[in-house]
Amino acid sequence: MSSLQGKRILLGVTGSIAAYKAAEWVRSLVKEEAMVTVVMTRSAERFVAPLTFSALSGNPVYRDMFADESERVMAHINLSREADVILVAPATAQTIARLSMGLADDLLATVILAARVPVVFCPAMNSNMWAHPATQENIKRLQHFGYHLVHPDSGTLACGDVGDGRLPEWDVARETLLALFEPDDLIGKKVLITAGPTREPLDPVRFLSNRSSGKMGFALARTARRRGAEVTLITGPVSLPDPPCMEVIRVTTAEDMEKMVMSRASAVQVIVKSAAVADFKPAACQVHKIKKTSQGLHLALEKNTDILKKLGENRKHGQILVGFAAESRDHAGEGLRKLQEKNLDLIVVNDILGTQTGFDVETNQVTLIDRKGSAVLPLLTKEDTANRIWDSVVSLLHKRGGDAG
Ligand code: PMT
């Protein structure tokens, strides 16, 4: 289930060429079963017809403060009361200026002024207009009022100029919306998460690896960010795109991962090692492709460093260390053994034999084991599983008094 399911989103569309992209956003929201109502300014209608938004949202589009009986009496009050969040996208320099002055000169402005729900602005405009001190002052005023801002993207704009001013990507705006519905209990915390498999090269074309898709680790990274953490994600080779608003470091081998993890470990308060690191690597990587022979091939393997164990031996005072365990039997016993052996605070044990759990699926069913006991979680999406892991981490941080600065 998406966390946007059932959420009432009021989308304010203003007069920018990027208005057509907002139509795509409506499609994405509806796909996640959010309930979308669109309010358009007069100039937005010059770029996209209201019919487009009503067809995509399945709801009437509101445009006029003084509409006839076919629209609603006191539309501005009702619309602001019926939304869980207001998203203004694209937000033009003109709309940003009007709202920064508290002007209530059209339906969208009055809805926003009357609202008691979070408002998110996604600006889109020419880069000089964005950089103008007046716009920057107006943006500061909006933020001072408690409104949220998704910074515009950089790139080539519709006018041909290059710079800041493009409507942000949907994924970035979506993460901002999702964060509004999550607790902000990881604010001020730096977390390091590892994800995906590692690849251990055998020759120029072959490697040893495993079936990890990175989905569990990426879900941990996104959910931590939504809860306010500053996230560093170190991932082995996966086909997932970089999650927004965090540092993403891509590595290949266990040795690369070890170097990156150890270089960042002392700066963070929480480490979660969900990566499926190869335990062994070929003793030598051949420079040339290994030729087929009539006999079989005997591979000499050597052990990789156990990164998690090394972290457990070297961790700083107060740091929370979370490991994963991929097990096919004696889950509780193996989990407890790894918790103690690697000096962890929490271990997340996956059952890798289930068809809906573990490697390369959308869901997971895990057991959380800490030093006080264990909890078996139901089958959940990987994002919901990640949130349950963060709940446990937050409670461990509280018990520790958050002194891992
Ligand atoms: O990526 P997905 O497709 O979403 O699948 C998720 C997952 C099944 C890969 C993930 O949830 C998971 O179980 N990750 C750990 C897999 C694993 O390597 O388990 P393990 O029991 O072999 O290792 C135990 C712990 O030691 C893990 O935290 C692992 O990161 C760590 N380890 C292992 C070997 C090594 N050389 N260095 C390590 O740090």
Side-chain angles (χ1 to χ4, degrees):
M1 187 183 90
S2 153
S3 313
L4 288 173
Q5 186 181 40
K7 295 289 184 296
R8 298 167 307 171
I9 316 281
L10 189 143
L11 174 68
V13 182
T14 75
S16 152
I17 182 68
Y20 79 93
K21 292 188 185 168
E24 269 302 318
W25 291 20
V26 173
R27 272 171 72 101
S28 303
L29 283 163
V30 169
K31 211 164 144 195
E32 291 195 50
E33 297 180 37
M35 293 179 284
V36 186
T37 303
V38 177
V39 175
M40 296 180 79
T41 62
R42 284 284 172 228
S43 34
E45 291 179 38
R46 309 287 290 265
F47 292 93
V48 180
L51 187 60
T52 304
F53 286 106
S54 61
L56 291 173
S57 67
N59 286 315
V61 169
Y62 295 88
R63 300 137 63 194
D64 197 346
M65 274 287 283
F66 306 102
D68 59 23
E69 315 72 64
S70 63
E71 291 193 28
R72 303 165 66 188
V73 182
M74 303 278 281
H76 61 300
I77 304 295
N78 290 324
L79 287 168
S80 60
R81 277 189 192 146
E82 289 167 6
D84 293 316
V85 58
I86 298 176
L87 176 66
V88 188
T92 57
Q94 161 79 357
T95 296
I96 287 166
R98 287 190 295 128
L99 265 303
S100 78
M101 298 301 293
L103 294 184
D105 56 353
D106 70 359
L107 180 60
L108 179 61
T110 48
V111 167
I112 293 172
L113 280 180
R116 289 286 170 270
V117 295
V119 180
V120 180
F121 284 88
C122 300
M125 64 194 75
N126 166 272
S127 50
N128 292 337
M129 290 170 78
W130 171 251
H132 195 285
T135 307
Q136 290 305 309
E137 277 306 308
N138 293 335
I139 288 289
K140 273 191 214 139
R141 281 173 67 86
L142 291 184
Q143 288 177 304
H144 174 70
F145 296 155
Y147 296 144
H148 302 265
L149 173 79
V150 184
H151 200 277
D153 264 1
S154 207
T156 306
L157 304 166
C159 57
D161 283 0
V162 178
D164 283 355
R166 280 159 61 118
L167 186 71
E169 289 299 322
W170 166 238
D171 194 25
V172 182
R174 179 177 178 272
E175 286 300 323
T176 306
L177 289 183
L178 286 168
L180 298 172
F181 302 110
E182 297 294 345
D184 52 10
D185 47 9
L186 288 173
I187 278 189
K189 297 286 177 260
K190 290 186 181 161
V191 308
L192 174 61
I193 296 158
T194 68
T198 61
R199 276 184 192 171
E200 311 303 322
L202 199 51
D203 70 12
V205 291
R206 302 183 182 96
F207 52 79
L208 300 180
S209 191
N210 60 64
R211 288 171 40 230
S212 171
S213 62
K215 286 175 187 164
M216 189 65 240
F218 277 54
L220 280 157
R222 281 182 183 265
T223 47
R225 177 73 198 115
R226 284 175 207 155
R227 291 169 80 141
E230 196 180 309
V231 179
T232 298
L233 172 64
I234 300 178
T235 178
V238 295
S239 57
L240 303 172
D242 286 3
C245 309
M246 65 184 69
E247 183 187 22
V248 182
I249 301 171
R250 296 202 179 244
V251 297
T252 304
T253 63
E255 206 177 319
D256 298 340
M257 187 171 277
E258 181 192 348
K259 275 189 201 134
M260 278 301 161
V261 168
M262 297 318 292
S263 72
R264 308 287 164 138
S266 65
V268 301
Q269 287 94 41
V270 183
I271 303 177
V272 183
K273 280 223 74 253
S274 73
V277 185
D279 288 319
F280 299 97
K281 64 178 176 190
C285 172
Q286 303 303 317
V287 180
H288 299 288
K289 189 179 162 198
I290 300 168
K291 291 285 177 206
K292 204 162 34 187
T293 59
S294 50
Q295 294 90 40
L297 174 69
H298 291 279
L299 280 180
L301 300 178
E302 64 185 39
K303 235 173 152 257
N304 276 322
T305 306
D306 188 324
I307 308 169
L308 187 57
K309 194 155 185 244
K310 191 167 169 184
L311 287 167
E313 287 160 1
N314 296 290
R315 70 165 148 172
K316 64 174 185 174
H317 176 70
Q319 191 172 54
I320 303 286
L321 193 52
V322 181
F324 267 68
E327 304 298 341
S328 54
R329 59 183 168 174
D330 188 16
H331 302 83
E334 279 303 297
L336 196 58
R337 181 182 65 77
K338 287 180 183 172
L339 179 89
Q340 286 161 351
E341 249 180 45
K342 303 194 186 197
N343 188 23
L344 310 179
D345 298 288
L346 179 69
I347 190 153
V348 183
V349 188
N350 302 266
D351 179 3
I352 52 166
L353 290 187
T355 53
Q356 292 171 290
T357 63
F359 291 93
D360 201 17
V361 286
E362 303 303 321
T363 47
N364 215 353
Q365 196 273 305
V366 302
T367 303
L368 304 183
I369 305 176
D370 66 17
R371 289 177 181 273
K372 297 272 161 59
S374 65
V376 181
L377 302 189
L379 184 71
L380 297 168
T381 63
K382 285 191 173 169
E383 283 202 353
D384 287 342
T385 304
N387 266 321
R388 299 287 286 268
I389 295 167
W390 292 124
D391 291 344
S392 297
V393 167
V394 167
S395 119
L396 288 168
L397 281 166
H398 281 158
K399 280 184 201 138
R400 203 156 285 184
D403 59 348

